[in-house]
Amino acid sequence: MEAVYALAIGVLAGSGVWLLLRPRTFQVLMGLVLLSYATNLFIFGMGRLVIDRPPIIAAGAPGYADPVPQALVLTAIVIGFGTTALFLVLLLALRALTGTDHVDGREPRR
Amino acid sequence: MLLTLIVLLPFLGSLCAALLPANARNAEAWLAGVVAGTCAVVAVLQYPAVVAGGVLHARLPWLPQFGLEFHLRMDGYSWLFALLVAFIGALIVLYARYYLSPSDPVPRFFAFLMAFMGAMLGTVLSGNLVQLVVFWELTSLTSFMLIAYWYHRRDARRGARMAALVTVSGGFALLLGVLLLGNIVGSYDLDVVLAAGDQIRADPLYAPMLVCVLIGILTKSAQFPFHFWLPQAMTAPTPVSAYLHSATMVKAGVFLLARLWPALAGTDLWFWLVCSAGAASLLLGSFAATFQRDMKGVLAYSTISHLGLITLLLGMNSRLALVAAVFHMLNHATFKASLFMATGVVDHETGTRDLKRLSGLRHAMPVTAVLATVAACAMAGVPLLNGFLSKEMFFEEAITAGGALGLPPVLPAVATIAGLFSVAYSARFIHKVFFGPPAVGLPRQPRDPGPMLVPSALLVAACLLVGVLPAVTVGPLLTVAGDALLGPRMPAYQLAVWHGLTPPLVMSVIALGGGLAFYVLMRRSGRTMTAAPLLSRIDSKRLFDLANARVTRGAGRLARAAFPARLQIQLLLVVGSACVVALLRLWAAGWRPSSLALAPADPLFALLWVGGAACALGAAWQAKFHRLAALIMVGATGLATCLTFAWFSAPDLALTQLTVEVVTMVLFLLGLRWLPRRLEIDDARRHGPSAVARHLRDGTVAVVAGAGLGALALAVFTLPATPVLTPFFLDNALPLGGGRNVVNVILVDFRGLDTLGEMTVVGTVAIIVYALLRRFRPAPESILLPQAQREDAAREAVVNNPDAPLPAGYMRVPAVMARLLFPMAGLVSCYFLLRGHDAPGGGFVGGLVMATALIVQYMVSGTVWVESRLRIHPQVLIAAGLLAAVLAGLSAWLVSRPFLSAVAWELPLAGAFSLRVPSVLVFDVGVYLLVVGATVLMLVALAHQSLRSPRRTGAAAPLPAAAVTGSGG
């Protein structure tokens, strides 16, 4: 289980970093989204993978998953949403203003 | 309490002054005058307390964990200075009222003048050295703003920049020195430091500490070799020069020198450093002043020279010299401020300060002429004026101190030569301006301005009074200040006009006669000198400019080298260095596999991630040319993430991820409409060798980063969990937080402040998005209607018609469903909100559900239709959400609990019922409102683009709202 989980993190992070290093704004934005999935999964995984033990107090529960990474990731998801929205609008404004979707605001020199 | 008032009042006045209208000249002057006057009166009222030898304290805790407190301390010496600052400040306000022209923006002037006064009072009254440095830097800052008051003038900006650079870097050195001093003594408290003189002088850190402190002091007091900024700062309005560059700011340096004298003076190092700086400034300043063309230039160099005299006195390690120095600080402030004011009057009346053009003004301006002449005589040290007395004391000390050190002729000679030049420049200053034939061709016709002369006259009267009756007027003040500095070791001295025929008197006579003779010879020689001979070669101003330009260029070069302009390179550096740092740490720690058995993979879970990974890779591959496809694949990966959260016991995360995913997708789709399609052209460069190399490089980094993060995760999974915080939250969520859903309790209760900050971020982002889109002009290629809408002409007619019951065309069925779903979505969102504390849900999820329901209405029915039925004010929702959260936090104060503690309020209802309102619920409602507001604001701002842009390009009809059509794919 953990191996699959770690592999998933690896693939998401790798794809995210690859896109992050691309020259077009939309690619970078997609890369940020993928990278944030990877990071969220990573932080969440630090609480270990537990099945069927949600951190909701109940009588007779056999145990609970770690709520601290969950709270952290919840915050991260929200902030990630804000960042993504901001980046998207910046991307649109940049494209409209400069006429190119290159991250530097101008096409690379020929 | 009164002490705090003295310091606080000018700052409050500054705030009020800044808020007054731009043309309220009289109101500003009254405000500033009342503030300065009140400060002066409050200071005077403290006299009985300080004359009894008492030290007044006012202490407020500042950073108690570092042993710092806000400490105001008034003894006789700081009392004298506070009085001087406030009193001359009041005169300057009166003067500035008439000096400034109606077109000058007065609020800025008086606001900064009062802020400066407050900073200056704070400096002299600080009982804590770190706090003193803070106020000290504040005087530099406000003086920068004042010198650059006429910022449309290039020389004013230059002068201000130079003054600020020199004094602020000096202030930094002073901070270093003070930190060293605090380290030596073990306290920053002035009382403790002053009492620890012997310990300080014996410490090995004494020399570096002294050098740092002296750099701060010498830069502030414009002493050699940092004197060059003062003449440049003369571009300030004259009231500023009169206040800052004669009476107060430059005095801050010598003030501190005397303040720390009991603790630092008495060593040979002190003597050599302080005396050489003082003597050099004394000679250089008086010599250069003799050759200036600008009236203010003469006064600036003369100020350098007089401050040099004070510094020299303080360097002599003699207690009598210290008293003389304090005396001369007072005298110099009075006559120099009055001379600056006279200069300003001449400038104001004639329109020029050029000594070559001015002449014979005593006919047109007799009162100004008399006042300036008396003040200049005081500056030259003519008997029966205050300058004479302190100069005599200086000559005497020069003889004694020089004799004690075994170099008798040097110091008296320096003193006499400087005295000679000071007589020469004073004579030249007065003679050129007021005597001789009346000037012709002046820009304006001069006359005596009435009220503008009052402050100058008051100061001149003080010069005369002190000069004639020193023992009665200034004697008590000096005793108070000297007692405060030296305590019981205060030496006996005699303030009298006539001491008999003594060596100092002989020196005075030589200086007076010699100075006059020098001036006559200088005139006779007929040579017009505009720069001081010899000195113009050694131009520290030029050196400063050169160094400044070099540093700026070097910094630019460094910045360009360290931060490449291209984003890709920057990101590569960030990711690469993160990898390297992580690898280094791992290398050091070593790989320690543990025997912990990992669970076997569930085939379904493996399948889920086969799909998820394929989508991630596909998105990475397609994001350039097929945006919609990439977006869909990223969304699928997000769903896989969401399912993973659900799988591993995190229902809250799964819910949040799901709703965020939906909103993000809608946002992307709305945005993609305005991103012109990329055409997949077959560019040869895309397959060139450099592109391949780049792809190889980025691919390696990506693989290393991904493999590293995955391996790290796997490594952690092989180690047993060591919960530290977890048991606390699990044990206390129900008893302390009153909720069963631990994650929600952490967010709204235990770590409520984090959530509050996070809410603020989301609200701010929404407002930024809205602001960016208000001025947004879409790229020209994307203005045309999307293909599907162009073909569906029937729909347009309905979308434009807010009264149509249902849209026609392909949106009809979705519209019916969305409207049916709307109330249910609202219900579900409230359900999530209310149950959040005990079960998966919460304000965030609820808010997103509600926002999605709203935006779906926009999507299927069009902006016009929705907004004709439903007015939503997202900004109001954002504000209400933040307010609700903050109020919920504040309500804890009512029962004396810390901010954001969970409290439950019982609201009595009719009969025996009551409603229990936990503050966390109010907080969560705040989150809910804010999320609805922020999300809707962003989405609607994007959706409105389609309403705005066709109109701008002149298209005939307004067009449907949220056109959910990606451009790629």
Side-chain angles (χ1 to χ4, degrees), chain A residues 1 22 37 50 74 96 101, chain B residues 599 649 661 678 698 747 777:
Chain A
M1 213 61 164
R22 296 300 88 219
Y37 291 153
V50 188
L74 199 74
D101 63 348
Chain B
S649 327
E661 206 58 46
R678 272 202 82 75
D698 293 351
L747 284 179
R777 300 278 176 278

Side-chain angles (χ1 to χ4, degrees), chain B residues 852-868:
Chain B
T852 314
L854 276 171
I855 202 67
V856 164
Q857 303 306 312
Y858 274 82
M859 281 157 56
V860 296
S861 306
T863 314
V864 179
W865 191 89
V866 173
E867 294 192 342
S868 66

Side-chain angles (χ1 to χ4, degrees), chain B residues 224 227 278-289 301 304-305 532 535 538:
Chain B
F224 183 84
H227 60 279
S281 314
L282 173 65
L283 277 179
L284 182 145
S286 61
F287 182 61
Y301 278 103
I304 294 175
S305 134
L535 278 183
I538 329 161

Side-chain angles (χ1 to χ4, degrees), chain B residues 533-807:
Chain B
L534 300 173
L535 278 183
S536 54
R537 304 276 174 116
I538 329 161
D539 193 350
S540 34
K541 175 180 153 285
R542 228 182 78 79
L543 287 178
F544 173 85
D545 281 342
L546 215 65
N548 198 1
R550 289 233 174 102
V551 168
T552 312
R553 247 201 328 271
R557 220 173 279 152
L558 186 69
R560 273 193 300 281
F563 310 102
R566 293 180 50 211
L567 184 77
Q568 283 166 274
I569 306 294
Q570 289 182 29
L571 286 176
L572 191 70
L573 286 177
V574 169
V575 175
S577 43
C579 287
V580 168
V581 169
L583 281 177
L584 284 179
R585 287 291 296 147
L586 278 179
W587 196 269
W591 181 268
R592 277 175 293 180
S594 127
S595 54
L596 205 68
L598 297 179
D602 187 314
L604 208 56
F605 185 71
L607 195 64
L608 171 72
W609 274 108
V610 168
C615 280
L617 291 173
W621 176 40
Q622 289 296 335
K624 187 166 188 181
F625 294 109
H626 300 280
R627 293 182 189 132
L628 190 62
L631 189 58
I632 292 170
M633 285 191 276
V634 165
T637 319
L639 281 182
T641 311
C642 167
L643 285 174
T644 308
F645 288 144
W647 198 296
F648 295 115
S649 327
D652 274 290
L653 288 190
L655 266 178
T656 314
Q657 180 75 52
L658 187 67
T659 45
V660 163
E661 206 58 46
V662 171
V663 173
T664 316
M665 279 303 134
V666 175
L667 198 70
F668 273 133
L669 292 172
L670 287 176
L672 273 189
R673 161 73 179 83
W674 303 111
L675 194 62
R677 168 180 197 144
R678 272 202 82 75
L679 294 176
E680 193 167 0
I681 35 169
D682 196 25
D683 192 344
R685 283 185 316 120
R686 284 186 57 215
H687 308 290
S690 73
V692 170
R694 207 167 54 235
H695 285 176
L696 217 58
R697 177 196 69 193
D698 293 351
T700 316
V701 173
V703 167
V704 168
L709 203 61
L712 199 60
L714 196 61
V716 173
F717 290 141
T718 61
L719 297 171
T722 45
V724 182
L725 293 169
T726 312
F728 169 83
F729 289 121
L730 286 175
D731 293 345
N732 291 311
L734 197 52
L736 288 183
R740 293 177 188 281
N741 183 356
V742 186
V743 175
N744 186 274
V745 172
I746 292 179
L747 284 179
V748 298
D749 189 345
F750 288 122
R751 304 297 310 160
L753 195 63
D754 294 358
T755 309
L756 189 62
E758 182 192 336
M759 287 167 71
T760 319
V761 170
V762 173
T764 315
V765 165
I767 289 167
I768 295 174
V769 165
Y770 173 73
L772 274 174
L773 287 175
R774 257 164 63 89
R775 301 266 165 183
F776 177 64
R777 300 278 176 278
E781 302 95 310
S782 59
I783 283 177
L784 275 185
L785 267 187
Q787 183 85 27
Q789 289 181 22
R790 261 179 283 167
E791 285 165 5
D792 195 7
R795 185 178 128 84
E796 267 186 45
V798 186
V799 163
N800 294 333
N801 176 12
D803 301 323
L806 272 178

Side-chain angles (χ1 to χ4, degrees), chain A residues 34-54:
Chain A
L34 286 179
L35 202 56
S36 73
Y37 291 153
T39 321
N40 287 347
L41 283 174
F42 182 82
I43 298 174
F44 174 65
M46 293 302 102
R48 301 304 184 277
L49 307 180
V50 188
I51 296 176
D52 278 344
R53 290 180 181 181

